[in-house]
Amino acid sequence: MSTPAPDPIPAPARPVVVLRPAPQRTDRIFTPAALGSLRDRFTVVDLEKDPSEEALEEVLPDAFAIVGQPDLPAQRLSRAGRLRALLNVEGNFFPNVDYATCFERGIHVLGCGPAYAPAVAEYALALALDLARGISREDRAFRAGRERYVSDGNADAVLLQGSDVGLVGFGNLGRGLNRLLAPFRPTIRVYDPWLPPGVLGEHGVLPASLDETLSRSRFVFVLATVTDESRHLIGERELHLLPDGARLVLVSRAPVVDYPALLSHVARGRLMAGIDVWPDEPVAPDDPARSLDGLVLSAHRAGGIPAAFETIGDMVLDDLTLIAQGLPPARMQTAARELVGRYRNRPVT
């Protein structure tokens, strides 16, 4: 006589959402109202105070969604039989997940990049205006008693209005910045090898090669993500293509630019640059960048503002609600099967 099969383990009454958001904090990305709604709709297991691997292993079999991006190799994913969504709330897709397994199993892999895009785009525009008019430089001079009045302080000033502008990359950041630049009526050239000319044309920008984008632009915004192909995409050869007096704004990923080469051009007075991301953070106290007047320096703060963080929590709540109803997510960025494994991002600390 055969032994009857055991009854299947019943699923929890409400889908289980695991919170392990580090380096984010739950109270930073969720307003009290949003967190309350999340707890009303789901069984929330908060691992923020105990982010250990053991605690995660214990809840994996019941997890419907994980908010965060812990290490998820194929073996660990095999123990997460009910997992339907992985929601990255840091801002980068890391190579610590077996994405192929996620896609094979229909697990939604989502990122919060769209939440940061408006803040970063505004900041990039602010850096460009500063570089155009020497705002922070002349502020420092004024405080030191070296101010120059009227036209004396404007010998290298230029207009953003009507300028030739180049965008290197046209993802969330590029599209957000393109909208902000519209009132300045620039000519915008875009280099993005992941997009066909038709897509760029629909946004009113000119598709261009990297060389053309650099050589014909007074302002260049570096907005590309980092992959093996884009590491040092802007190197010595490319920097030489920029016209004398060009302004370069870097707000995406540090490895895209050869920093020693860029600082050399700035030190010689050929280029100016606004930099928000650095190869090593925090920047060393004796880093030569600190002493260059042709730089506007920023400590990786373009996107991390309260409005962006709270948007992340709202996105998570909305998309989890949709997925639980059998609908596709609508607010967070869906990882592309063909691209997510190519990113070489580092965590932001």
Side-chain angles (χ1 to χ4, degrees):
M1 184 175 181
S2 61
T3 303
D7 293 333
I9 299 173
R14 292 183 298 175
V16 173
V17 173
V18 178
L19 297 184
R20 198 190 185 204
Q24 294 284 22
R25 300 193 317 268
T26 298
D27 64 355
R28 182 160 68 181
I29 61 175
F30 289 103
T31 63
L35 186 58
S37 295
L38 189 72
R39 294 187 185 281
D40 288 341
R41 302 174 194 180
F42 300 93
T43 298
V44 176
V45 178
D46 191 347
L47 298 184
E48 187 170 30
K49 293 182 180 179
D50 180 13
S52 66
E53 298 302 306
E54 293 78 12
L56 178 62
E57 288 287 346
E58 184 177 346
V59 298
L60 269 180
D62 284 333
F64 168 78
I66 297 174
V67 178
Q69 192 158 327
D71 293 341
L72 292 172
Q75 185 178 14
R76 176 171 275 179
L77 285 170
S78 70
R79 296 192 291 276
R82 296 192 173 106
L83 190 64
R84 292 294 316 285
L86 174 63
L87 301 93
N88 182 305
V89 292
E90 191 267 359
N92 297 289
F93 291 116
F94 305 134
N96 67 335
V97 172
D98 190 319
Y99 293 109
T101 296
C102 289
F103 292 128
E104 288 169 6
R105 288 181 42 191
I107 297 170
H108 295 281
V109 179
L110 306 175
C112 63
Y116 289 119
V120 177
E122 286 190 8
Y123 202 83
L125 177 59
L127 288 174
L129 290 170
D130 192 328
L131 291 169
R133 302 299 301 274
I135 297 169
S136 59
R137 181 194 66 196
E138 296 305 313
D139 172 81
R140 293 192 300 272
F142 205 127
R143 294 173 189 276
R146 296 182 283 101
E147 70 270 23
R148 298 178 292 180
Y149 287 89
V150 197
S151 60
D152 287 347
N154 284 331
D156 58 0
V158 298
L159 286 175
L160 177 57
Q161 183 171 282
S163 284
D164 285 293
V165 171
L167 307 184
V168 179
F170 201 68
N172 293 318
L173 301 185
R175 297 175 198 211
L177 180 59
N178 183 45
R179 291 189 289 270
L180 295 182
L181 287 170
F184 294 90
R185 302 190 306 279
T187 299
I188 300 178
R189 294 177 178 83
V190 172
Y191 170 70
D192 192 321
W194 289 357
L195 294 175
V199 170
L200 299 177
E202 288 171 356
H203 289 271
V205 299
L206 301 176
S209 68
L210 179 60
D211 286 8
E212 182 184 9
T213 298
L214 298 176
S215 63
R216 300 190 63 178
S217 298
R218 169 173 278 174
F219 294 87
V220 172
F221 296 85
V222 181
L223 311 168
T225 191
V226 60
T227 65
D228 291 337
E229 295 82 7
S230 68
R231 190 176 300 276
H232 283 192
L233 179 69
I234 310 297
E236 180 65 34
R237 186 192 76 85
E238 290 74 25
L239 291 167
H240 268 295
L241 295 174
L242 289 165
D244 289 349
R247 276 72 166 166
L248 185 143
V249 175
L250 175 57
V251 290
S252 57
R253 296 289 173 257
V256 177
V257 172
D258 181 336
Y259 274 68
L262 173 60
L263 296 186
S264 175
H265 281 263
V266 173
R268 299 198 305 270
R270 204 183 79 76
L271 302 177
M272 298 180 186
I275 301 176
D276 184 56
V277 290
W278 302 88
D280 296 299
E281 298 178 0
V283 175
D286 60 349
D287 192 291
R290 295 181 182 272
S291 62
L292 294 179
D293 272 346
L295 287 181
V296 178
L297 305 130
S298 177
H300 206 144
R301 50 187 299 270
I305 65 175
F309 292 138
E310 292 176 1
T311 298
I312 293 172
D314 291 342
M315 286 178 163
V316 168
L317 175 63
D318 288 344
D319 278 351
L320 283 178
T321 301
L322 290 170
I323 295 169
Q325 295 171 349
L327 298 171
R331 298 198 63 189
M332 299 186 77
Q333 179 177 353
T334 300
R337 178 190 298 264
E338 296 81 4
L339 300 179
V340 67
R342 298 170 66 175
Y343 300 139
R344 296 295 180 265
N345 299 313
R346 297 183 303 174
V348 175
T349 57

